[in-house]
Amino acid sequence: MMKTISLLGSTGSIGRQTLEVARMHGFSVCALAAHSNVALLEDQIREFGPALAAVFDADAARDLKLRVQDLSVRVVSGMEGLCEAAAMEKADIVLNSVVGMVGLLPTLTAVSAKKDVALANKETLVAGGALVMKAARENGVRILPVDSEHSAIFQCLQGCPDPSAVRRLILTASGGPFFGKSKEDLAHVTPEQALKHPNWSMGAKVTIDSATMMNKGLEIMEASWLFDLPVSQIDVVVHRESIVHSLVEYQDYSVLAQLGVPDMRIPIQYALTWPQRMPSPVKPLSLTEIGSLSFYPPDENAFPCLRLAKQAAELGGLVPAAANGANEEAVKLFLQHKIAFMQIPELVEEAIQRQAPELPQTSAQVLEADRKAREFVLKSI
């Protein structure tokens, strides 16, 4: 199987691992996009030879042009450049792994260009799920999940010809670095402590979301759009070992689970090769080495972001966009030591309360709800 990939977010954790998969299987890369890490992006360009490189930061784009002036690659910048990369004619699939709301417009652009999208940017569906899924249906393209939890559910559903047979989805959560802590224990934790995830190597924003359990709330919203199920049919269980990546319970109470070592290259590769399976660069799972698996209910008192995300999803409309925008801005402030850890859910809750649940008709409405929520957070401090 030969595929040509346009990769958005190539210098991040998911992007780097995607290129490992591409390297192993000989996939070609027609476009690479990054925010500002031009040193790594230059290395990637020299190895994979894309026709286009997009750098979101304009100054960094000018730097990259000088670095690769001996190559035939064309360098573009800003959101316009990111969207150009998302619509590359030669691409068989666009893998979107940029972080945050910046991923929404490139996803919509790729879908409009009739490209299948391997989605690792959960904010796209959290904030703009109605627009994205409608556009995907109209253009006859697939949104293939890259998150390990959604990939697990996607895999467990492959043998289910009747969607009505599904009783519920069960997303697993590692519990992050603060599992077992009380609300009081979390009052004074530092960014450095929150960034020490026990199982996964991820970017800073996603790692903080794991520590607050907001990531699981965002994943509930994403799963609702991907698999066309209400939030009431999506549960969360804390699974410390991160071996069971998620489960599907059917009407007969049979439960199917997808297991594997905690390595993102498995779901990345499956999104790129579906419906086929190919040898993987990860090590095999040994259940005898693991020995035992544990499961716990989530603590929504200590980690209120999970409850708030579900509340935002149930309210619907533009409320998830506001919740997501407030969370993104609050996480930035926490990483800068400007607010406390438990102020993140407080700000998200206020943003939810301030946003009317009107249905978005355009991406501009979604982006405006996002902007207002961020503005509120910044004014609050």
Side-chain angles (χ1 to χ4, degrees), residues 31-52:
L32 292 171
H35 183 272
S36 56
N37 186 351
V38 294
L40 178 55
L41 184 55
E42 178 190 357
D43 291 342
Q44 293 174 343
I45 291 168
R46 293 188 181 279
E47 178 178 358
F48 291 93
L52 185 75

Side-chain angles (χ1 to χ4, degrees), residues 92-341:
D92 296 312
I93 190 166
V94 177
L95 195 148
N96 186 352
S97 67
V98 302
V99 177
M101 272 293 291
V102 70
L104 176 59
L105 291 180
T107 297
L108 287 170
T109 301
V111 169
S112 295
K114 301 188 183 302
K115 304 295 181 183
D116 287 343
V117 177
L119 192 61
N121 171 252
K122 59 173 61 70
E123 294 83 0
T124 285
L125 291 183
V126 167
L131 300 176
V132 172
M133 298 311 290
K134 179 176 182 288
R137 288 191 298 271
E138 290 174 349
N139 286 280
V141 302
R142 302 178 184 88
I143 306 295
L144 298 165
V146 172
D147 277 353
S148 61
E149 295 83 359
H150 301 103
S151 176
I153 291 168
F154 182 59
Q155 293 179 59
C156 291
L157 290 172
Q158 293 303 295
C160 176
D162 181 6
S164 67
V166 176
R167 183 171 181 270
R168 63 174 176 147
L169 309 180
I170 306 169
L171 300 174
T172 55
S174 70
F178 301 136
F179 172 74
K181 300 286 186 184
S182 69
K183 196 171 185 177
E184 293 70 29
D185 293 334
L186 297 173
H188 303 292
V189 298
T190 66
E192 291 73 23
Q193 292 170 320
L195 287 168
K196 293 180 180 177
H197 196 281
N199 300 335
W200 296 95
S201 176
M202 305 177 290
K205 194 268 181 182
V206 179
T207 305
I208 300 301
D209 281 349
S210 177
T212 64
M213 290 201 73
M214 175 56 95
N215 73 319
K216 215 49 53 178
L218 298 177
E219 287 169 11
I220 288 173
M221 298 189 215
E222 188 179 5
S224 178
W225 287 113
L226 282 170
F227 306 113
D228 195 23
L229 283 173
V231 171
S232 59
Q233 286 181 253
I234 306 172
D235 290 336
V236 171
V237 63
V238 176
H239 167 52
R240 294 295 286 161
E241 295 80 11
S242 296
I243 297 299
V244 178
H245 297 299
S246 278
L247 313 92
V248 175
E249 182 181 78
Y250 290 93
Q251 295 293 349
D252 61 358
Y253 299 111
S254 292
V255 179
L256 299 187
Q258 185 263 331
L259 285 70
V261 295
D263 192 312
M264 282 303 300
R265 290 173 296 180
I266 295 175
I268 289 168
Q269 178 171 299
Y270 191 66
L272 294 176
T273 64
W274 178 85
Q276 294 181 311
R277 291 189 184 270
M278 299 173 68
S280 168
V282 311
K283 69 178 184 179
L285 172 66
S286 170
L287 290 175
T288 54
E289 286 182 16
I290 299 298
S292 62
L293 301 173
S294 58
F295 303 91
Y296 307 89
D299 183 351
E300 293 186 9
N301 182 57
F303 302 95
C305 279
L306 179 57
R307 169 181 56 80
L308 293 170
K310 289 191 286 187
Q311 179 186 335
E314 287 165 351
L315 288 168
L318 290 170
V319 177
N324 179 73
N327 177 67
E328 279 193 33
E329 208 60 43
V331 168
K332 286 181 189 176
L333 294 171
F334 173 66
L335 287 168
Q336 295 165 4
H337 295 266
K338 291 181 179 178
I339 64 171
F341 185 77

